[in-house]
Amino acid sequence: MSGNEDIYPVTDNRQQSSFVSMLVGTSPEKFPISDPVQICSETLRSAHLCAEALLLRSRDLPMSNSSLTMCHDSVIALSKAVASQMKTINNAVMSDSNSSIPKPLAELAESLVLLVETVADTIFQIGSKSTGTKAPSPSVIDSYVLSRARLAISLCIEHLEESSLNTDRMMAVLSVMATHLEAVKECNAQAIKRTKNKQVVLQLKATNKGLTGSTAAFIVSAKSFATKPCASSQRHVIQFSKPLVALVDALLTFSISEELVIGKPSQPDSMAASYIKSIEAAALSLVSAVSLFLKTVKTTLTQSVSAEYFETLTKYLTAANVHLSELRESVKKALQAELVPTL
């Protein structure tokens, strides 16, 4: 990877991964979003985002500046968190304690996103830094940051459309939107550093100006709602939020369809490729098991179900634990193989 270090981002792109838990909040008094079905749906969408954007596509940019050892340690910690949160959700469903489900569901969304992001970083480390591999040609724009921002902002808009929207909920939404809009701007700033193409630079700078203008218009409407919460001011907030997700969506489409900005993933040798395949298989199986678990949870919350559904829930929980173990073991083996030279 020699000669490419200066074009890799220095920010940790995993710092914006807690959008579901930020929207739910930690204080039921201030953030009364207690509908576990809604949170279950948001967690499912987060899981699908990870699988599609990180595991079914080969990254040509790192998620962070973490070493392979640091990635391994994070995988261990996050996999334990996912297992614990799924167990808590399972127990709550079994005991018909729906009011205790929202918090672990939101925590699961965050842990799963962080885990898959770390897995993607692990795969990047092995694929790009292993001896004998051909280094990647980095994309100009990190499309995953944009995909995640689009989902987070879309969820925010859905929350803004709730009839129960209040000032506290608005502040939570504003926090998430601000976090991801800043991430998009940082993504653009990094992209400008990676390209010498004047047309691409002009497009990225214009997009930033558009985001700045649209954000200002949205903030004015949000302040108006905070001053006088009513149906009219809420409608204005929704109207001025939608151009933001439209801009992010346009930039995302540009990042994955314009040849001038698309990079090429690394070409690992056969040994590195075998470790990558093992890690990817375990991670994909895990996301699948978690998704099935969440769909079953959602069914038990929305329908009268037989005992068979609860047995199915436990089955998917067991499967997820198996795949978590496989994931930890596959990352451990890759680390022990010393594929990546240490400084």
Side-chain angles (χ1 to χ4, degrees):
M1 202 176 68
S2 177
N4 288 338
E5 288 85 347
D6 59 329
I7 57 179
Y8 287 147
V10 296
T11 52
D12 188 337
N13 286 322
R14 297 169 300 177
Q15 293 178 346
Q16 299 88 21
S17 310
S18 58
F19 49 92
V20 173
S21 57
M22 287 174 69
L23 286 171
V24 172
T26 56
S27 171
E29 294 78 18
K30 286 189 175 182
F31 306 119
I33 173 172
S34 56
D35 182 6
V37 176
Q38 179 184 4
I39 304 169
C40 203
S41 296
E42 293 179 355
T43 305
L44 263 170
R45 287 162 71 180
S46 300
H48 293 161
L49 165 73
C50 289
E52 180 181 348
L54 293 175
L55 298 177
L56 296 178
R57 298 179 187 173
S58 297
R59 282 186 62 80
D60 49 51
L61 288 166
M63 289 297 303
S64 70
N65 284 332
S66 297
S67 65
L68 185 56
T69 299
M70 293 168 66
C71 287
H72 166 266
D73 294 345
S74 293
V75 166
I76 299 300
L78 289 166
S79 66
K80 290 179 179 178
V82 167
S84 175
Q85 288 147 4
M86 290 185 70
K87 181 179 179 180
T88 300
I89 295 166
N90 183 73
N91 292 343
V93 172
M94 293 297 182
S95 61
D96 198 24
S97 181
N98 293 357
S99 61
S100 64
I101 294 177
K103 190 172 184 292
L105 267 175
E107 291 173 343
L108 174 61
E110 178 178 356
S111 296
L112 185 63
V113 171
L114 282 168
L115 177 57
V116 179
E117 288 176 347
T118 305
V119 168
D121 216 12
T122 301
I123 292 171
F124 176 85
Q125 299 294 330
I126 298 171
S128 64
K129 296 182 179 179
S130 296
T131 303
T133 64
K134 184 177 180 180
S137 174
S139 293
V140 171
I141 308 170
D142 191 337
S143 61
Y144 171 68
V145 174
L146 303 179
S147 295
R148 185 180 56 194
R150 181 178 62 177
L151 174 59
I153 295 172
S154 296
L155 293 179
C156 285
I157 292 174
E158 292 173 15
H159 283 269
L160 291 174
E161 293 172 339
E162 295 171 4
S163 59
S164 60
L165 182 69
N166 56 30
T167 303
D168 289 322
R169 171 62 51 201
M170 173 67 77
M171 294 307 296
V173 168
L174 284 175
S175 179
V176 173
M177 292 188 75
T179 297
H180 286 275
L181 288 171
E182 189 60 34
V184 172
K185 290 180 180 179
E186 174 63 22
C187 181
N188 266 2
Q190 293 291 343
I192 290 170
K193 294 178 182 179
R194 294 191 194 106
T195 182
K196 295 180 181 179
N197 185 286
K198 292 182 180 180
Q199 188 58 46
V200 172
V201 170
L202 285 173
Q203 185 66 64
L204 295 176
K205 287 183 176 180
T207 302
N208 262 357
K209 288 181 180 179
L211 282 169
T212 299
S214 295
T215 300
F218 170 74
I219 290 174
V220 169
S221 65
K223 287 181 177 179
S224 176
F225 176 87
T227 303
K228 187 180 179 180
C230 63
S232 177
S233 59
Q234 181 177 0
R235 185 171 63 254
H236 296 158
V237 170
I238 296 168
Q239 289 169 343
F240 285 103
S241 66
K242 291 184 178 179
L244 292 169
V245 75
L247 267 172
V248 174
D249 190 51
L251 183 58
L252 173 59
T253 301
F254 180 74
S255 73
I256 60 177
S257 62
E258 176 54 59
E259 291 184 3
L260 291 172
V261 300
I262 297 175
K264 293 181 180 179
S266 61
Q267 297 179 23
D269 63 15
S270 58
M271 180 177 291
S274 66
Y275 284 102
I276 289 173
K277 184 177 180 180
S278 176
I279 294 171
E280 285 178 336
L284 281 168
S285 297
L286 169 63
V287 173
S288 176
V290 173
S291 295
L292 291 169
F293 175 83
L294 291 169
K295 287 178 181 178
T296 308
V297 169
K298 191 174 179 181
T299 300
T300 63
L301 294 172
T302 56
Q303 302 176 21
S304 297
V305 297
S306 63
E308 181 181 351
Y309 273 89
F310 296 100
E311 294 173 1
T312 301
L313 191 66
T314 301
K315 180 182 73 174
Y316 291 140
L317 174 63
T318 301
N321 284 325
V322 169
H323 298 313
L324 283 166
S325 179
E326 292 171 346
L327 179 60
R328 288 192 295 265
E329 186 63 23
S330 60
V331 174
K332 179 181 177 181
K333 287 181 178 179
L335 179 64
Q336 291 176 336
E338 298 182 346
L339 299 169
V340 178
T342 56
L343 297 179

